[in-house]
Amino acid sequence: MSHTLYAASIQRVQRCELAVPGSSPEMFEKAMKSGADFIFLDLEDAVAPDDKLQARKNIIEAINDLDWKGHGVTISVRINGLDTQYMVRDVVDLVEQCGAKLDTVLIPKVGVYADVYMVEAMLNQLEMQQGLKNKIGVEALIETALGMANVEDIARNGALGRLEALHFGVADYAASNRARTTNIGGLNPDYPGDQWHFAISRMTVACRAYGLRPIDGPFGDIKDPEGYKTAGRRAAALGCEGKWAIHPSQVELANEIFTPPAAEVDKAKRILVALKEAAAQGKGAAALDGRLIDAASEKMANNVVRAAEAIAAKK
């Protein structure tokens, strides 16, 4: 192993992240009770320009008044883009009026690390101004060609500050690359395989290198649960910890996909026991169920066990 290691700053269970428009306050309580680990109340794409200011007020009221923690929910807000006139007041009003109850801020369309730095600098000053004891985390959406071209730099520098996670925003990423697709997160049949594989893998590698959580973005067809599950399983296979839901019906699907099955957890525990017994005998490897297991097997098994323990602790 390298002597340079980036440990995760904050561990959170993030199997499912439910998106809820800030302009639809009637959805907030239902979302809170949906079983999602994370919920982001949206001020950006899901809110029409004329509704931005009211949506911000709705979100501040909901964060203050609803019992998110009591329902096991990590609460986040997707602010407007840095290129809009709304972003500054989004950050200022959120921290000043509900900062003590806000867990993370999700920054859309991050293209360079400086985008993250700007929001971090604002949070630093506002938290000091308000005398907040909690530290609001930052998450970044990688959803443009520019963002993907700079994803390693964003992860490396962001990991030194508040950045906790990167999300793959497939819809805007497709538009930015002029990719031929019409279903958000769906596949083009003309492409021989999964056209999002490279992008998700690159983002995931950057996250794992620098101690961040990789999260897959939305799947647009809420009437296609099998398509959602296929996309989720592929993201999980590449190392993502969770996936967005754009409808409550997708929450259970994500939770199922990103929760290690009992049989997988049991096998991981048996691997750890077998390797411990082998080590006591002065051996660096062992055999389990007819297969060789070694130090690499131990690392993979620990990943499974830790994920299962974190989910169990949340429950």
Side-chain angles (χ1 to χ4, degrees):
M1 290 290 288
S2 170
H3 285 290
T4 302
L5 298 174
Y6 291 77
S9 57
I10 296 181
Q11 297 284 355
R12 302 187 198 264
V13 177
Q14 199 166 359
R15 296 168 297 173
C16 179
E17 178 135 3
L18 179 60
V20 185
S23 53
S24 301
E26 69 278 4
M27 296 182 178
F28 293 170
E29 188 169 359
K30 181 179 179 181
M32 182 180 66
K33 298 176 180 179
S34 67
D37 298 321
F38 252 76
I39 290 174
F40 79 79
L41 304 178
D42 195 14
L43 286 170
E44 197 218 12
D45 282 354
V47 179
D50 289 345
D51 296 330
K52 297 282 189 185
L53 302 186
Q54 184 59 50
R56 189 189 299 145
K57 294 177 183 177
N58 296 340
I59 287 173
I60 290 169
E61 182 178 354
I63 291 175
N64 284 323
D65 293 349
L66 297 180
D67 186 15
W68 303 98
K69 287 289 185 293
H71 287 81
V73 173
T74 299
I75 190 68
S76 179
V77 175
R78 178 165 69 169
I79 60 175
N80 284 288
L82 274 66
D83 59 337
T84 72
Q85 70 267 39
Y86 306 107
M87 172 267 178
V88 170
R89 290 267 30 127
D90 285 347
V91 178
V92 172
D93 288 358
L94 286 167
V95 179
E96 287 186 343
Q97 298 179 44
C98 63
K101 296 185 176 182
L102 179 61
D103 293 308
T104 72
V105 168
L106 179 59
I107 310 171
K109 299 177 181 66
V110 170
V112 295
Y113 168 65
D115 297 339
V116 177
Y117 182 84
M118 178 178 181
V119 176
E120 283 199 350
M122 292 182 67
L123 291 174
N124 289 340
Q125 296 172 54
L126 288 163
E127 286 178 0
M128 286 189 288
Q129 170 192 292
Q130 297 301 113
L132 296 183
K133 296 180 180 180
N134 59 304
K135 186 175 183 179
I136 299 168
V138 168
E139 301 177 82
L141 261 165
I142 304 300
E143 50 184 340
T144 63
L146 180 63
M148 191 60 69
N150 291 305
V151 68
E152 291 85 7
D153 185 62
I154 293 167
R156 179 173 58 253
N157 286 291
L160 301 175
R162 296 171 181 262
L163 191 62
E164 297 183 13
L166 299 180
H167 298 237
F168 178 55
V170 64
D172 281 296
Y173 182 77
S176 178
N177 282 278
R178 301 184 186 180
R180 293 187 175 182
T181 181
T182 55
N183 177 28
I184 296 173
L187 302 179
N188 187 324
D190 293 332
Y191 187 85
D194 186 342
Q195 70 204 83
W196 314 122
H197 178 113
F198 167 75
I200 295 174
S201 182
R202 181 175 180 182
M203 185 194 78
T204 299
V205 170
C207 286
R208 295 308 182 193
Y210 299 110
L212 308 177
R213 297 185 303 275
I215 306 298
D216 189 23
F219 183 83
D221 190 349
I222 62 174
K223 296 181 179 180
D224 183 11
E226 290 304 315
Y228 182 94
K229 288 192 285 187
T230 296
R233 291 191 190 106
R234 289 177 174 177
L238 291 171
C240 287
E241 292 191 19
K243 183 172 177 60
W244 285 19
I246 60 170
H247 188 272
S249 64
Q250 295 178 333
V251 172
E252 186 176 350
L253 304 179
N255 286 345
E256 177 185 350
I257 292 166
F258 292 96
T259 299
E264 186 177 332
V265 176
D266 179 67
K267 184 175 181 180
K269 290 179 177 179
R270 291 195 296 121
I271 288 172
L272 296 177
V273 170
L275 286 171
K276 185 176 181 179
E277 293 173 348
Q281 301 171 19
K283 299 177 181 178
L288 182 68
D289 299 336
R291 296 185 178 184
L292 177 71
I293 55 174
D294 57 12
S297 307
E298 182 179 21
K299 292 174 184 176
M300 291 186 286
N302 271 319
N303 288 338
V304 173
V305 172
R306 287 170 186 156
E309 288 175 347
I311 293 167
K314 179 180 181 294
K315 291 180 181 178

